[in-house]
């Protein structure tokens, strides 16, 4: 039999203090739920193997696939602005990595796979709902062109997990990412004054994520600048689709520039800059409009951790770090404005474009307009009366430079993972019915193409369907 996953593991070759080597904890009665067939094929993994007994046992943690070298990654981080000096994978296991034909290396990572030395008070497990939620939102983000982890497969465990809502069916997911190194991984070693580890980790990230920069004495400054640029581009994409991550702690900010750790995240329906969904975000720290500022704050923690690598003299290193961090707002702004110009079908760049966008958003907030549908209506030529004389300013601007209707449609999704639809799919799944999950997934995989059968998926929630808060499921 051919090897089901061609592992080629690198993280486990790092020094022992980077992780705890341990296997997932077996579960009582594993059962396959869903396999991401397209993703499996892209990775050269046979989807039939994944869906069969051996694949299910591998994801459940009951049988290690050949070549896996399981470990829990060590990291720390700032949570809601406060330092947590020891986090780490408390319910996740990196099985190993696989390299696809184009040379890209992906982590194969389990979540909900049992306790680790980093579990603290947690049970190491995940419930079915959050696992399917991560599946839906990850695929939705991917189809929207946003760098993200993706779920490869989900299984149930035959065990129940106790959560706020009561006992829930347990589940494990396998997810795939360019990498799970976080800002918090760097902070972990910097906080221990372990300059050697910070250097090893930086060289590892350069070689793995940014090989073009991996040589020369300036490589650490380049790493910092590149992670800043990637993150600015990522957050701009979030803002352009109304995605709210919910827990932008530094342990949830990836060095590879991907969206990771889907917890209480959600897409906005009605536009309001202060929108918060996370049930644990009482102060609104991670509200929609704060995301760029928070990303910059997180990147400043990254820069601080890198200081020993940025120069032998501390003042010079601090100055270099500061310059890099100060570049974030302009980079974010440029990416955001480019994204908004595309959404509004504006060709070329004019000084007034920023104000045109701001005016639109203000009116959307005042009039409680749906974020996704307002933009798509503009793309579809619907006359949005609620926008008043903004329409004249927009038309005048478009008269001086406009993109095609097709280009505009391609920048404005019809379908996003609307919270009420996600919650309905999860509720049905808890009742044993995966049909709503399957259909929502199909809708989300082609978000730009309006399909008559799917009208309800473009509709904002009715008053009684509005979801006020989302939970991590921890
Ligand atoms: P998160 O908020 O999901 O990014 O998690 C923050 C930290 O809590 C990480 O160290 C997680 O591994 C850990 N954690 C979250 N949920 C659990 C759980 N059920 N059991 C053990 N550790 C957990
Ligand atoms: Mg996390």
């Amino acid at each position: 039999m051919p090897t089901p996953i061609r592992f080629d593991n690198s993280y486990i070759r790092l020094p022992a203090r980077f992780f705890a080597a341990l296997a997932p904890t077996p579960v009582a009665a594993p059962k396959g739920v869903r396999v991401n067939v397209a993703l499996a094929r892209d990775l050269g993994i046979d989807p039939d193997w994944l869906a069969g007994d051996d694949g299910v046992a591998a994801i459940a943690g009951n049988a290690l696939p050949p070549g896996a070298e399981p470990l829990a990654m060590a990291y720390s981080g700032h949570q809601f602005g406060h330092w947590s000096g020891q986090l780490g994978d408390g319910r996740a296991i990196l099985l190993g990595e696989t390299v696809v034909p184009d040379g890209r290396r992906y982590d194969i990572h389990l979540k909900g796979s049992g306790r680790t030395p980093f579990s603290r008070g947690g049970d190491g497990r995940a419930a079915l709902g959050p696992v399917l939620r991560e599946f839906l939102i990850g695929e939705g983000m991917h189809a929207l062109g946003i760098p993200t982890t993706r779920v490869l497969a989900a299984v149930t465990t035959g065990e129940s997990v106790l959560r706020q809502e009561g006992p829930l069916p347990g589940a494990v997911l396998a997810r795939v990412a360019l990498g799970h190194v976080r800002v918090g991984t760097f902070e972990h070693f910097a906080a221990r004054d372990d300059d050697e580890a910070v250097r090893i980790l930086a060289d590892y990230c350069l070689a793995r994520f940014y090989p073009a920069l991996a040589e020369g004495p300036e490589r650490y400054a380049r790493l910092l600048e590149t992670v800043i640029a990637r993150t600015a581009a990522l957050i701009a994409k979030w803002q352009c689709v109304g995605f709210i991550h919910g827990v932008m702690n530094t342990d949830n900010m990836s060095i590879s520039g991907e969206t990771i750790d889907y917890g209480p995240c959600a897409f906005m329906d009605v536009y309001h800059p202060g929108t918060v969904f996370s049930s644990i975000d009482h102060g609104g720290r991670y509200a929609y409009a704060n995301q760029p500022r928070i990303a910059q704050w997180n990147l400043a923690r990254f820069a601080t951790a890198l200081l020993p690598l940025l120069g032998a003299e501390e003042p010079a290193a601090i100055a270099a770090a500061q310059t890099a961090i100060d570049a974030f707002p302009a980079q974010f702004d440029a990416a955001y404005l480019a994204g908004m110009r595309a959404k509004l079908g504006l060709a070329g760049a004019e000084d007034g474009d920023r104000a045109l966008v701001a005016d639109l958003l203000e009116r959307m907030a005042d009039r409680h307009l749906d974020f996704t549908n307002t933009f798509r209506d503009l793309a579809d030529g619907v006359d949005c009366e609620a926008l008043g004389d903004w329409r004249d300013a927009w038309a005048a601007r478009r008269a001086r430079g406009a993109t095609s209707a097709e280009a505009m449609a391609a920048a404005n999704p019809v379908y996003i993972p609307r919270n009420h639809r996600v919650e309905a799919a999860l509720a049905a799944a808890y009742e044993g019915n995966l049909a709503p999950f399957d259909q929502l997934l199909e809708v989300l995989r082609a978000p730009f193409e309006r399909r008559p059968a799917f009208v309800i998926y473009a509709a904002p929630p009715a008053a009684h369907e509005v979801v006020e808060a989302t939970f991590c499921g921890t």
Side-chain angles (χ1 to χ4, degrees):
M1 203 192 78
T3 310
I5 303 176
R6 284 185 302 274
F7 282 106
D8 177 351
N9 306 328
S10 65
Y11 204 81
I12 196 149
R13 311 267 108 76
L14 291 171
R17 59 194 187 282
F18 281 67
F19 55 85
L22 85 161
T25 309
V27 303
K31 198 163 164 283
V33 177
R34 283 295 178 266
V35 165
N36 191 334
V37 173
L39 176 59
R41 291 211 177 103
D42 286 348
L43 294 171
I45 300 170
D46 178 3
D48 293 331
W49 175 82
L50 264 179
D53 288 348
D54 292 345
V56 169
I59 306 307
N62 286 27
L64 275 184
E69 296 177 281
L71 63 87
M73 295 168 79
Y75 54 82
S76 298
H78 280 85
Q79 300 184 303
F80 291 92
H82 302 287
W83 175 241
S84 301
Q86 177 69 263
L87 294 168
D89 288 334
R91 55 166 170 167
I93 293 278
L94 176 65
L95 284 180
E97 301 139 40
T98 194
V99 179
V100 296
D102 78 359
R104 262 175 303 175
R105 175 180 292 274
Y106 287 98
D107 279 358
I108 310 284
H109 195 94
L110 304 181
K111 184 169 174 183
S113 46
R115 290 180 53 83
T116 76
F118 308 120
S119 296
R120 295 168 295 151
D123 61 4
R125 293 300 183 186
L128 179 62
V131 161
L132 294 180
R133 196 181 157 72
E134 179 155 347
F135 203 141
L136 289 169
I137 301 203
E139 289 306 287
M141 293 285 273
H142 176 72
L144 291 168
I146 302 177
T148 178
T149 58
R150 295 175 70 188
V151 172
L152 175 64
V155 304
T156 48
T157 60
E159 299 172 1
S160 63
V161 294
L162 197 57
R163 294 292 181 265
Q164 248 171 325
E165 308 91 303
L168 298 171
V172 183
L173 64 77
R175 66 183 178 188
V176 165
L178 289 174
H180 285 88
V181 179
R182 305 133 194 276
V183 167
T185 320
F186 281 89
E187 289 179 288
H188 181 79
F189 296 110
R192 287 157 177 75
D193 291 323
D194 189 345
D195 291 2
E196 188 199 17
V198 173
R199 182 182 300 273
I200 290 169
L201 185 61
D203 282 326
Y204 178 82
C205 291
L206 280 161
R208 178 164 173 183
F209 307 131
Y210 307 109
L213 315 174
E215 304 295 328
E218 298 296 309
R219 64 188 184 280
Y220 302 118
R222 297 291 93 79
L223 174 65
L224 175 59
E225 291 161 9
T226 302
V227 173
I228 289 171
R230 286 281 180 112
T231 307
L234 178 70
I235 309 297
K237 286 181 186 283
W238 290 2
Q239 300 305 92
C240 284
V241 296
F243 173 75
I244 301 168
H245 183 283
V247 203
M248 286 179 70
N249 294 334
T250 58
D251 54 298
N252 292 338
M253 292 290 293
S254 92
I255 299 300
S256 45
E258 296 164 286
T259 313
I260 62 166
D261 278 18
Y262 291 101
C265 57
F267 283 70
M268 269 191 297
D269 294 300
V270 168
Y271 172 73
H272 193 284
T275 307
V276 178
F277 287 109
S278 166
S279 60
I280 53 174
D281 188 2
H282 304 295
R285 178 181 170 89
Y286 299 140
Y288 172 78
N290 283 350
Q291 295 189 128
R293 208 169 51 75
I294 291 292
Q296 187 181 9
W297 190 90
N298 290 343
L299 291 164
R301 307 284 77 72
F302 179 47
T304 304
L306 282 183
L307 279 179
L309 308 184
L310 296 178
E313 305 292 328
E314 197 172 62
I318 291 173
Q322 193 65 51
T323 304
I325 289 296
D326 289 345
F328 178 89
Q331 288 181 357
F332 167 77
D333 212 57
Y336 174 73
L337 206 53
M340 281 294 170
R341 283 191 180 108
K343 286 175 82 70
L344 293 177
L346 308 180
E350 291 188 8
D351 287 346
D353 293 348
R354 188 185 313 278
L356 190 70
V357 171
D359 185 10
L360 169 63
L361 292 175
E362 207 168 295
R363 287 169 198 243
M364 284 167 61
D366 277 354
R367 279 142 221 179
H368 306 283
L369 301 185
D370 185 84
F371 183 83
T372 303
N373 289 353
T374 301
F375 280 103
R376 182 65 187 212
D377 281 349
L378 292 172
D380 288 343
V382 175
D383 183 26
C384 302
E385 248 175 82
L387 297 176
D389 58 6
W390 179 87
R391 291 170 301 173
D392 304 329
W394 180 54
R397 170 61 180 84
R398 296 237 316 152
R400 297 190 296 273
T403 61
S404 68
E406 292 73 40
M408 220 181 141
N412 291 295
V414 181
Y415 309 110
I416 50 155
R418 289 193 186 264
N419 230 345
H420 65 299
R421 291 284 159 212
V422 172
E423 294 302 321
L426 305 190
Y430 276 131
E431 300 293 324
N433 175 15
L434 280 162
F437 170 87
D438 290 333
Q439 179 152 86
L440 182 54
L441 195 59
E442 188 188 338
V443 169
L444 297 177
R445 281 180 164 156
F448 297 103
E449 178 200 337
R450 196 183 291 281
R451 289 188 280 177
F454 293 155
V455 271
I456 60 162
Y457 292 95
H464 69 278
E465 292 174 316
V466 173
V467 177
E468 305 284 354
T470 54
F471 300 88
C472 308
T474 51

